[in-house]
Amino acid sequence: MKFTTQYMTVLAGALALTGLAGTAQAQTVLNIGGSSAARNFMTDIPLNLCDPAPFPNKFASADGNKITWTCNRGGLPVIMRYSATGSSDGVNKLLQPASNPASNMLFLDHTLTTGCTGPNVVARPSDGKQYNNTTGCNNANTISLPVHLGASDVQGASFHQAGPLGTTVSPLDDSSLNSAVAAIVPFSIYVGKGVVKDVAGAPGGPIAGLSRLEIERIFSKQVTDWKQLGFGTVTDGAPGVLEATSPITLCMRSAGSGTKAAFDETVMINSTETLLANATSVFSSSSSGVLTCVAGNRRSIGYMDADQVVSFNPGGANAGLGYTVRLDGGLAHDPALVGNEKRDLRCGKYAYWAGERLNRRTTSEGAAIDALSQAFVDNTSLQATISVIPTGAYWASDEEMFVSKNVDKGPLIWKAGAHPECR
């Protein structure tokens, strides 16, 4: 019987997943899960680790929260999967042995093709490296597998949040894990497209920013209308007229989110976020949920990883539906500072960031998995990686930062030397 190359690729993948590869070459599998803020960053890394030929294959679920890469590395087949849920999973799943079903997460099964579009050959703009891109795969095309490497935006001790009412998370003990800070993840404050300045009773364009104290008052529900802060909102139908009232819609993460934990540690210092979920207080289990909330509510405010701004930029999936605002005068990524866009982040002028942690068990997952996992961790830490992957325009390596901190909330520690880039 004659099989097509495509069929043989699918068959080999299916056999490897079930452990019945037989004559098909065994594949090294690395399953990574946790932080949804790190989704874009972590799923950019595999292309660096794959051989350029034959072209690597990227498969993405429709909601973008599950990504699977298949390729050769050093001439041998590998599979690298990422499942974006919440940072607490990037700790908790690794606290269980891989043999315990409690360590499992749902990953995209690339051998299932329902809803998938492609593959289409795509080239990474920075270096021209090509890969086969398959998108839109049904969100239910999943397989339950143990996690080998966990991603968390914050250290375990920073988890102590609640919300929505009835959902809480306690500090996690990650001291038994092999934990490495791989890169710096900055977050941004976003508002809906209808939020504008009030200039003598008329719309005055996008607001420039908010103070940390104002943000505390908004998310604790001490301020519930943009007019209380001297701003306003407009509609698409009447963009030249301020609305009579401008009730704020909050777009928040649920407890267990590293984005929320970092927000709590660095911004919500004197107040806590509201716990009550309703039409104007929306909780989401992932960054994509907050993105949908901000894009769909013109009076909204929310917090997400800084690289999500590309969705609101021209050409993005939600172009013009939201924008970032300054926090105490700083931006995680300031496009006006051409060539030094990350100045505020690198120079300690912007507070809302954390070190992305990659967690592993101290017991071996097997020599091949251990080696691939170490290669993944090493690659995420490199300035060379930051400079080549798309999300690197927003994230930072430790070596390009002029400040550091030992715990998520700070204080900041300035590195020695003169830093003229900060002026």
Side-chain angles (χ1 to χ4, degrees), residues 29-33 94 98 103 107 146-150 359-361 365 369 373:
V29 174
L30 180 62
N31 299 326
I32 314 167
L94 277 299
S103 77
F107 294 90
V147 177
H148 304 125
L149 183 62
N359 301 309
R360 289 174 284 173
R361 299 177 181 89
E365 308 282 5
I369 295 176
S373 182

mmCIF file of all heavy atoms in Angstrom, residues 29-33 94 98 103 107 146-150 359-361 365 369 373:
data_model
loop_
_atom_site.group_PDB
_atom_site.id
_atom_site.type_symbol
_atom_site.label_atom_id
_atom_site.label_comp_id
_atom_site.label_asym_id
_atom_site.label_seq_id
_atom_site.Cartn_x
_atom_site.Cartn_y
_atom_site.Cartn_z
ATOM 1 N N VAL A 29 9.755 14.320 23.542
ATOM 2 C CA VAL A 29 8.588 15.156 23.773
ATOM 3 C C VAL A 29 8.829 16.046 24.990
ATOM 4 O O VAL A 29 9.240 15.562 26.057
ATOM 5 C CB VAL A 29 7.336 14.289 23.999
ATOM 6 C CG1 VAL A 29 6.145 15.165 24.382
ATOM 7 C CG2 VAL A 29 7.022 13.474 22.760
ATOM 8 N N LEU A 30 8.603 17.353 24.847
ATOM 9 C CA LEU A 30 8.706 18.304 25.944
ATOM 10 C C LEU A 30 7.367 19.023 26.076
ATOM 11 O O LEU A 30 6.960 19.767 25.187
ATOM 12 C CB LEU A 30 9.821 19.312 25.680
ATOM 13 C CG LEU A 30 10.040 20.386 26.761
ATOM 14 C CD1 LEU A 30 10.439 19.748 28.082
ATOM 15 C CD2 LEU A 30 11.098 21.397 26.312
ATOM 16 N N ASN A 31 6.674 18.788 27.188
ATOM 17 C CA ASN A 31 5.373 19.400 27.454
ATOM 18 C C ASN A 31 5.553 20.537 28.461
ATOM 19 O O ASN A 31 6.041 20.312 29.575
ATOM 20 C CB ASN A 31 4.399 18.369 28.007
ATOM 21 C CG ASN A 31 4.143 17.230 27.039
ATOM 22 O OD1 ASN A 31 4.125 17.437 25.830
ATOM 23 N ND2 ASN A 31 3.952 16.030 27.555
ATOM 24 N N ILE A 32 5.150 21.740 28.066
ATOM 25 C CA ILE A 32 5.329 22.938 28.884
ATOM 26 C C ILE A 32 3.964 23.558 29.130
ATOM 27 O O ILE A 32 3.141 23.633 28.218
ATOM 28 C CB ILE A 32 6.242 23.959 28.175
ATOM 29 C CG1 ILE A 32 7.485 23.270 27.610
ATOM 30 C CG2 ILE A 32 6.625 25.095 29.106
ATOM 31 C CD1 ILE A 32 8.267 24.128 26.636
ATOM 32 N N GLY A 33 3.722 24.028 30.344
ATOM 33 C CA GLY A 33 2.415 24.628 30.616
ATOM 34 C C GLY A 33 2.471 25.638 31.739
ATOM 35 O O GLY A 33 3.425 25.700 32.518
ATOM 36 N N LEU A 94 4.147 20.775 38.552
ATOM 37 C CA LEU A 94 5.494 20.243 38.742
ATOM 38 C C LEU A 94 5.718 19.729 40.157
ATOM 39 O O LEU A 94 6.700 19.018 40.411
ATOM 40 C CB LEU A 94 6.526 21.320 38.409
ATOM 41 C CG LEU A 94 6.890 21.511 36.932
ATOM 42 C CD1 LEU A 94 7.499 20.226 36.378
ATOM 43 C CD2 LEU A 94 5.707 21.931 36.091
ATOM 44 N N ALA A 98 5.501 13.070 37.569
ATOM 45 C CA ALA A 98 4.941 12.971 36.222
ATOM 46 C C ALA A 98 4.006 11.780 36.080
ATOM 47 O O ALA A 98 3.127 11.776 35.213
ATOM 48 C CB ALA A 98 6.068 12.889 35.198
ATOM 49 N N SER A 103 -0.526 15.806 37.513
ATOM 50 C CA SER A 103 0.496 16.605 36.824
ATOM 51 C C SER A 103 0.112 16.888 35.380
ATOM 52 O O SER A 103 0.815 17.621 34.682
ATOM 53 C CB SER A 103 1.846 15.879 36.854
ATOM 54 O OG SER A 103 1.879 14.825 35.905
ATOM 55 N N PHE A 107 -3.149 19.416 26.188
ATOM 56 C CA PHE A 107 -2.319 19.998 25.138
ATOM 57 C C PHE A 107 -2.984 19.783 23.780
ATOM 58 O O PHE A 107 -3.843 18.906 23.626
ATOM 59 C CB PHE A 107 -0.932 19.353 25.137
ATOM 60 C CG PHE A 107 -0.124 19.648 26.362
ATOM 61 C CD1 PHE A 107 -0.180 18.819 27.475
ATOM 62 C CD2 PHE A 107 0.690 20.770 26.412
ATOM 63 C CE1 PHE A 107 0.565 19.088 28.613
ATOM 64 C CE2 PHE A 107 1.442 21.051 27.549
ATOM 65 C CZ PHE A 107 1.381 20.215 28.648
ATOM 66 N N PRO A 146 1.451 14.629 30.929
ATOM 67 C CA PRO A 146 2.168 15.225 32.062
ATOM 68 C C PRO A 146 3.007 16.421 31.640
ATOM 69 O O PRO A 146 3.515 16.482 30.518
ATOM 70 C CB PRO A 146 3.054 14.081 32.559
ATOM 71 C CG PRO A 146 3.227 13.192 31.376
ATOM 72 C CD PRO A 146 1.948 13.283 30.606
ATOM 73 N N VAL A 147 3.143 17.385 32.536
ATOM 74 C CA VAL A 147 3.937 18.587 32.293
ATOM 75 C C VAL A 147 5.381 18.325 32.712
ATOM 76 O O VAL A 147 5.635 17.840 33.818
ATOM 77 C CB VAL A 147 3.364 19.788 33.070
ATOM 78 C CG1 VAL A 147 4.230 21.025 32.862
ATOM 79 C CG2 VAL A 147 1.930 20.058 32.643
ATOM 80 N N HIS A 148 6.320 18.661 31.850
ATOM 81 C CA HIS A 148 7.746 18.508 32.150
ATOM 82 C C HIS A 148 8.389 19.817 32.591
ATOM 83 O O HIS A 148 9.378 19.807 33.327
ATOM 84 C CB HIS A 148 8.495 18.010 30.912
ATOM 85 C CG HIS A 148 7.969 16.735 30.348
ATOM 86 N ND1 HIS A 148 7.583 16.599 29.030
ATOM 87 C CD2 HIS A 148 7.744 15.531 30.923
ATOM 88 C CE1 HIS A 148 7.161 15.371 28.814
ATOM 89 N NE2 HIS A 148 7.231 14.706 29.945
ATOM 90 N N LEU A 149 7.859 20.927 32.114
ATOM 91 C CA LEU A 149 8.440 22.247 32.373
ATOM 92 C C LEU A 149 7.292 23.220 32.606
ATOM 93 O O LEU A 149 6.367 23.303 31.790
ATOM 94 C CB LEU A 149 9.289 22.675 31.171
ATOM 95 C CG LEU A 149 10.062 23.984 31.231
ATOM 96 C CD1 LEU A 149 11.098 23.968 32.340
ATOM 97 C CD2 LEU A 149 10.742 24.261 29.885
ATOM 98 N N GLY A 150 7.314 23.929 33.728
ATOM 99 C CA GLY A 150 6.232 24.844 34.065
ATOM 100 C C GLY A 150 6.661 26.297 33.987
ATOM 101 O O GLY A 150 7.772 26.651 34.404
ATOM 102 N N ASN A 359 10.066 26.238 35.761
ATOM 103 C CA ASN A 359 10.179 25.292 36.868
ATOM 104 C C ASN A 359 10.294 23.865 36.358
ATOM 105 O O ASN A 359 9.570 23.457 35.448
ATOM 106 C CB ASN A 359 8.952 25.413 37.779
ATOM 107 C CG ASN A 359 8.795 26.808 38.357
ATOM 108 O OD1 ASN A 359 9.739 27.357 38.923
ATOM 109 N ND2 ASN A 359 7.618 27.400 38.204
ATOM 110 N N ARG A 360 11.205 23.114 36.980
ATOM 111 C CA ARG A 360 11.382 21.704 36.648
ATOM 112 C C ARG A 360 11.461 20.876 37.923
ATOM 113 O O ARG A 360 11.827 21.384 38.988
ATOM 114 C CB ARG A 360 12.666 21.501 35.837
ATOM 115 C CG ARG A 360 12.604 22.039 34.417
ATOM 116 C CD ARG A 360 13.966 21.930 33.739
ATOM 117 N NE ARG A 360 14.875 22.953 34.230
ATOM 118 C CZ ARG A 360 16.166 23.021 33.915
ATOM 119 N NH1 ARG A 360 16.697 22.097 33.125
ATOM 120 N NH2 ARG A 360 16.929 23.982 34.380
ATOM 121 N N ARG A 361 11.153 19.613 37.804
ATOM 122 C CA ARG A 361 11.369 18.691 38.909
ATOM 123 C C ARG A 361 12.874 18.463 39.078
ATOM 124 O O ARG A 361 13.638 18.566 38.120
ATOM 125 C CB ARG A 361 10.668 17.358 38.654
ATOM 126 C CG ARG A 361 9.160 17.471 38.502
ATOM 127 C CD ARG A 361 8.524 16.122 38.188
ATOM 128 N NE ARG A 361 7.075 16.261 38.021
ATOM 129 C CZ ARG A 361 6.485 16.540 36.863
ATOM 130 N NH1 ARG A 361 7.229 16.673 35.762
ATOM 131 N NH2 ARG A 361 5.181 16.672 36.797
ATOM 132 N N GLU A 365 13.486 13.464 34.076
ATOM 133 C CA GLU A 365 12.361 13.085 33.220
ATOM 134 C C GLU A 365 12.831 12.086 32.155
ATOM 135 O O GLU A 365 12.040 11.659 31.317
ATOM 136 C CB GLU A 365 11.778 14.323 32.517
ATOM 137 C CG GLU A 365 11.413 15.478 33.424
ATOM 138 C CD GLU A 365 10.099 15.284 34.163
ATOM 139 O OE1 GLU A 365 9.510 14.188 34.037
ATOM 140 O OE2 GLU A 365 9.689 16.217 34.876
ATOM 141 N N ILE A 369 14.632 14.146 27.449
ATOM 142 C CA ILE A 369 13.752 15.249 27.862
ATOM 143 C C ILE A 369 14.531 16.263 28.687
ATOM 144 O O ILE A 369 14.376 17.481 28.516
ATOM 145 C CB ILE A 369 12.538 14.712 28.653
ATOM 146 C CG1 ILE A 369 11.665 13.838 27.760
ATOM 147 C CG2 ILE A 369 11.713 15.869 29.226
ATOM 148 C CD1 ILE A 369 10.497 13.186 28.474
ATOM 149 N N SER A 373 14.809 20.100 27.686
ATOM 150 C CA SER A 373 14.314 21.077 28.654
ATOM 151 C C SER A 373 15.393 22.091 29.010
ATOM 152 O O SER A 373 15.133 23.304 29.059
ATOM 153 C CB SER A 373 13.831 20.346 29.916
ATOM 154 O OG SER A 373 13.310 21.253 30.860
#
